[in-house]
Amino acid sequence: DAKTTQPNSMESNEEEPVHLPCNHSTISGTDYIHWYRQLPSQGPEYVIHGLTSNVNNRMASLAIAEDRKSSTLILHRATLRDAAVYYCILRDSGAGSYQLTFGKGTKLSVIP
Amino acid sequence: EPEVTQTPSHQVTQMGQEVILRCVPISNHLYFYWYRQILGQKVEFLVSFYNNEISEKSEIFDDQFSVERPDGSNFTLKIRSTKLEDSAMYFCASSVGRGETDTQYFGPGTRLTVL
């Protein structure tokens, strides 16, 4: 899997928007960008994924740069429950691999 | 909403003992996975399982580990002779398919402590 780079940690005030960046400069044309998060003492949880176009779901939005070398996960109004480690993961449709490869992710702290 | 369940939530064992960690994947899912996370470290892939056989495994998944789907609902991870370094959270996951857009749904984990 292509490598991703994320900041180690970020802070946000409650009810403020949060933009979590991810760099993936070696992304290939067939790599999908996935985001998972891991709440304290829980298993990872799917957040969103995309290929080229920006995506929205009930949890978040994913903004993908035109050259696809970076993406941003957007939480529109951070709540205390959003405090978690957020992982940006690339999945290659052609690689034939089943696994998710987790990096260290970004630890998001939400301040009340 | 369907979810992956795991038992027990915490397992304490003596070094050298065998342990079996149990998972019930989401009922219509066909692909099953085990991951582990040593305290303070990354989540690491161990193995994936489809159609009653291992489809992919990592270097961590050596001969001490085995997986099984003993019936239509359970998926188990067995560690034959536990070592201190096997202490970790073990997460089971399942997915409908194995494609690049398929979501893996994770269970809450089993914390394994090897003394």
Side-chain angles (χ1 to χ4, degrees):
Chain A
D1 287 330
K3 187 175 169 60
T4 62
T5 305
Q6 299 177 252
N8 290 332
S9 62
M10 292 184 65
E11 266 187 5
S12 173
N13 293 317
E14 195 177 9
E15 298 189 8
E16 296 280 317
V18 184
H19 290 234
L20 297 163
C22 180
N23 286 317
H24 27 78
S25 58
T26 59
I27 192 170
S28 76
T30 53
D31 283 337
Y32 279 76
I33 302 158
H34 287 248
W35 285 80
Y36 280 74
R37 71 179 184 181
Q38 188 174 20
L39 302 172
S41 302
Q42 294 191 30
E45 174 187 36
Y46 167 79
V47 178
I48 200 166
H49 75 272
L51 182 63
T52 56
S53 304
N54 294 345
V55 185
N56 300 297
N57 67 18
R58 63 177 178 82
M59 288 181 71
S61 295
L62 176 59
I64 301 172
E66 200 168 327
D67 63 5
R68 299 206 333 121
K69 292 183 186 297
S70 66
S71 60
T72 303
L73 180 71
I74 302 165
L75 307 180
H76 296 285
R77 285 178 71 248
T79 67
L80 296 178
R81 197 196 172 273
D82 291 322
V85 179
Y86 286 79
Y87 302 99
C88 171
I89 298 170
L90 301 183
R91 298 196 71 189
D92 183 358
S93 63
S97 176
Y98 299 79
Q99 61 179 281
L100 293 173
T101 302
F102 290 84
K104 293 183 179 178
T106 297
K107 184 174 183 179
L108 175 66
S109 301
V110 179
I111 302 165
Chain B
E1 187 172 321
E3 42 182 40
V4 176
T5 60
Q6 291 186 243
T7 54
S9 56
H10 190 190
Q11 174 91 47
V12 181
T13 189
Q14 296 290 326
M15 191 169 57
Q17 294 296 303
E18 175 183 287
V19 294
I20 297 176
L21 310 182
R22 290 182 168 80
C23 168
V24 179
I26 294 173
S27 62
N28 64 330
H29 287 189
L30 302 177
Y31 294 82
F32 314 115
Y33 315 84
W34 284 101
Y35 291 79
R36 80 170 186 192
Q37 186 174 32
I38 296 171
L39 186 63
Q41 298 189 25
K42 296 186 283 188
V43 177
E44 301 173 291
F45 170 78
L46 293 178
V47 67
S48 62
F49 191 84
Y50 169 70
N51 201 26
N52 281 320
E53 58 183 34
I54 290 173
S55 43
E56 187 180 15
K57 61 182 182 179
S58 71
E59 291 179 355
I60 303 167
F61 194 88
D62 60 22
D63 293 343
Q64 295 291 334
F65 292 90
S66 62
V67 289
E68 192 179 29
R69 187 150 163 86
D71 54 43
S73 59
N74 290 285
F75 179 50
T76 62
L77 174 69
K78 182 192 291 185
I79 309 175
R80 254 180 280 283
S81 177
T82 50
K83 301 182 269 234
L84 295 176
E85 54 264 37
D86 293 328
S87 294
M89 284 291 291
Y90 288 80
F91 297 108
C92 174
S94 68
S95 64
V96 172
R98 53 153 282 190
E100 63 281 358
T101 60
D102 282 294
T103 298
Q104 291 186 19
Y105 293 85
F106 285 77
T110 292
R111 178 173 300 283
L112 177 65
T113 302
V114 182
L115 303 175

